Amino acid sequence: DALAPGRHRGQWQWLAAAAGLDGGRRVADEDDDGALRIVPLEPLADPEPPALPAPTPRQAAWDQFRALGGISPAGHPIWFCRDPRPPLRARDLTADRAGQPAVITAWPITRKEVDAHPKAAPGRTAGPPEPMAFVTLEDETGLVETVWFPAAWRRYGPLVEQGGPLRLTGTIEAEHGFATLTVDHAEPVEAGG
C-alpha cells in the first residue's frame, strides 16, 4: 500500500489477475538453423485498473491481519467479530462476580491440556482419566483464563483449534482472589473485514 498509494488493494488484486492472464504467454519461433524454440512474449505494460470501490478501513485492516498471519496493526483482532458482542469483557471477569453466569467473546491464544482423574464413588473403581484443558483467551481489554472440564472439552475443544474468536458461556469462579471462567458452552464467532 505504501509503495503505490494511488491504488488500493482491490485495484492491485485486479492487476494481479490481469497479469496472470497475460504474463505467462509464450510463442514458438524458429532460430537461424530452423530449429523450433520457445520465446517468451515481451512483458505487457500494466493496464489501468477500473474504478473499483475502495475498501473500508475495516476491510483494509482485515486484509492486513490475514496477510501478516494474525497480527493486526489496526488494533486487537476481536474488532473483526461480525456478531454483536456480549456486554462483558475480559476485564469484567473479577473475583467479586464469583458464582455469576457470564458470556464473553474472546480470541484463544494458548491452551494446556491435562488429564482429569475422576473420583470413584464409595465402593466403585474410578474411571479412566479424561482430557480437559485450561485455555487463555484475549479480547481488547485483557486476558481471561478458562477451564474446560472433560464434557465441555470433548464437545467444544475442536473450536479452539480453528484459531478464531469464540463466544463462551459459563460461570465465573474465584480462587485466591483470581477469577476464571468455567466453560459450559462455546461457539465460533464469524470474523472478517
Side-chain angles (χ1 to χ4, degrees), residues 27-44:
V27 66
D29 194 10
E30 290 184 8
D31 63 15
D32 294 337
D33 298 329
L36 191 61
R37 63 187 176 126
I38 304 297
V39 179
L41 288 174
E42 289 297 315
L44 300 174

Side-chain angles (χ1 to χ4, degrees), residues 107-112 134-138 143-146:
W107 212 289
I109 57 172
T110 189
R111 70 176 159 113
K112 178 176 174 89
F134 300 96
V135 181
T136 303
L137 296 96
E138 180 182 53
L143 302 176
V144 58
E145 301 296 336
T146 61

Side-chain angles (χ1 to χ4, degrees), residues 2-188:
L3 294 176
R7 291 186 175 149
H8 58 74
R9 192 166 308 270
Q11 291 171 318
W12 281 114
Q13 289 171 337
W14 184 90
L15 282 168
L21 294 175
D22 295 326
R25 294 187 307 163
R26 301 184 184 285
V27 66
D29 194 10
E30 290 184 8
D31 63 15
D32 294 337
D33 298 329
L36 191 61
R37 63 187 176 126
I38 304 297
V39 179
L41 288 174
E42 289 297 315
L44 300 174
D46 284 344
E48 188 59 33
L52 299 169
T56 65
R58 183 184 178 98
Q59 289 168 328
W62 177 249
D63 287 342
Q64 287 177 342
F65 176 76
R66 289 185 13 223
L68 296 174
I71 298 171
S72 176
H76 196 280
I78 204 76
W79 181 52
F80 300 121
C81 292
R82 292 187 176 183
D83 295 340
R85 300 274 311 280
L88 289 180
R89 302 287 190 263
R91 69 171 171 233
D92 301 322
L93 301 183
T94 56
D96 63 327
R97 292 184 177 213
Q100 295 180 12
V103 178
I104 186 169
T105 297
W107 212 289
I109 57 172
T110 189
R111 70 176 159 113
K112 178 176 174 89
E113 286 186 59
V114 297
D115 284 333
H117 297 275
K119 292 183 179 179
R124 299 202 171 212
T125 304
E130 294 183 74
M132 63 174 284
F134 300 96
V135 181
T136 303
L137 296 96
E138 180 182 53
D139 70 9
E140 72 277 20
T141 67
L143 302 176
V144 58
E145 301 296 336
T146 61
V147 179
W148 304 54
F149 285 110
W153 187 242
R154 236 185 346 269
R155 186 162 186 185
Y156 306 113
L159 296 176
V160 174
E161 297 300 318
Q162 292 177 1
L166 299 175
R167 178 171 291 112
L168 305 176
T169 303
T171 305
I172 300 171
E173 308 287 345
E175 190 170 329
H176 305 293
F178 183 75
T180 60
L181 180 69
T182 299
V183 175
D184 298 321
H185 178 80
E187 60 188 79

